[in-house]
Amino acid sequence: MSLASLVIKEADLTESLIEKVVGPYCQYTETGKIVPNEKFNKLPVKQKILVYLVAKSGLPFINSDQPDVSADNEELEFFLNVRGNTLRPRVSELREEGFIITENSKHKISNHAANYIISELKLN
């Protein structure tokens, strides 16, 4: 066996990780809208934030119109149905832990967060 047989496309790996995290909790419409299910609604706020941001990172695989893969606090509050005074401390914690990145007041998932979420949610 050669090392070349271990090479995979990065996009395939990324899509696989996103599917593993998002699949149990959300679906996408053909236009790229994220639709949560009952399991999603039962997650703690920090996990909801992570799953939603992973779902946002999957939008380019669903809709090729270069969708925004980040979300501001207002979008998170609306989608998660969580008030800002509950949301903002969780976002800060996730940023300090290195699981989300904030640029220009918009949050996106960090590259290594998907593996953490898979482990945290016991999706292995």
Side-chain angles (χ1 to χ4, degrees), residues 10-80:
E10 238 179 284
D12 292 343
L13 177 61
T14 302
E15 189 173 9
S16 172
L17 286 172
I18 293 168
E19 182 181 354
K20 190 175 252 190
V21 171
V22 176
Y25 303 103
C26 301
Q27 292 181 304
Y28 296 98
T29 65
E30 56 278 341
T31 59
K33 183 179 176 187
I34 300 167
V35 182
N37 63 25
E38 284 301 312
K39 281 182 77 174
F40 178 85
N41 294 328
K42 293 177 183 177
L43 291 173
V45 173
K46 279 176 77 169
Q47 292 178 351
K48 282 183 180 180
I49 294 167
L50 291 171
V51 170
Y52 180 68
L53 291 176
V54 171
K56 290 276 294 193
S57 72
L59 288 175
F61 296 100
I62 306 300
N63 184 347
S64 62
D65 293 339
Q66 297 300 321
D68 189 2
V69 297
S70 58
D72 60 16
N73 286 346
E74 186 178 329
E75 179 180 342
L76 290 172
E77 287 174 32
F78 178 78
F79 187 86
L80 305 176

Side-chain angles (χ1 to χ4, degrees), residues 74-91:
E74 186 178 329
E75 179 180 342
L76 290 172
E77 287 174 32
F78 178 78
F79 187 86
L80 305 176
N81 194 26
V82 175
R83 293 186 183 269
N85 59 349
T86 300
L87 177 78
R88 286 187 299 278
R90 302 297 117 22
V91 167

